[in-house]
């Protein structure tokens, strides 16, 4: 049986399998990263001479549809989550 953990969503605390929680955390990190990239590319498109909003959007769509970019974002999120939980577990162990 898989381990359960708490997932906090607005207004509720849910008990979910640990794997589901980690997957949702990785997806949230990837979504936030792609939103930041979108903001940067749209801002850049508006700031360059003869730039337009759709130019930034088109660049973002071309960027985000690349498999190597998506794989890098997912890998970065996975490694970051692993490191944060590993470090937290080791800090708890030091206090005992």
């Amino acid at each position: 049986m898989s381990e359960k953990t708490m997932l906090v969503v607005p207004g509720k605390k849910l008990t979910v399998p640990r794997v589901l929680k980690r997957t949702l955390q990785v997806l949230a990190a990837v979504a936030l990263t792609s939103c930041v990239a979108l903001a940067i590319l749209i801002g850049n498109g508006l700031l360059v001479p003869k730039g337009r909003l759709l130019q930034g959007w088109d660049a973002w769509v071309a960027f985000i549809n690349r498999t190597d970019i998506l794989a890098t974002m997912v890998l970065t999120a996975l490694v970051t989550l692993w490191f944060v939980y590993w470090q937290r577990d080791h800090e708890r162990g030091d206090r005992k």
Side-chain angles (χ1 to χ4, degrees):
M1 188 169 215
S2 69
E3 295 180 41
K4 299 282 186 173
T5 186
M6 296 301 292
L7 177 66
V8 179
V9 292
K12 292 184 181 180
K13 289 184 180 181
L14 305 171
T15 304
V16 296
R18 190 172 299 251
V19 173
L20 176 63
K21 182 178 179 180
R22 300 296 184 265
T23 303
L24 292 174
Q25 288 173 326
V26 167
L27 290 175
V30 169
L32 286 171
T33 303
S34 59
C35 288
V36 169
L38 175 61
I40 290 170
L41 289 170
I42 285 181
N44 183 53
L46 293 174
L47 294 174
V48 296
K50 298 183 181 180
R52 55 182 177 45
L53 181 67
L54 287 179
Q55 181 180 359
W57 174 261
D58 294 339
W60 180 77
V61 169
F63 177 77
I64 213 69
N65 281 332
R66 292 181 48 184
T67 359
D68 58 332
I69 298 297
L70 289 174
T72 301
M73 289 184 349
V74 170
L75 182 62
T76 303
L78 284 170
V79 169
T80 303
L81 275 174
W82 172 79
F83 176 73
V84 167
Y85 283 110
W86 175 82
Q87 188 176 28
R88 185 190 67 179
D89 291 344
H90 276 66
E91 286 174 353
R92 284 183 181 171
D94 291 342
R95 286 189 224 154
K96 290 180 182 178

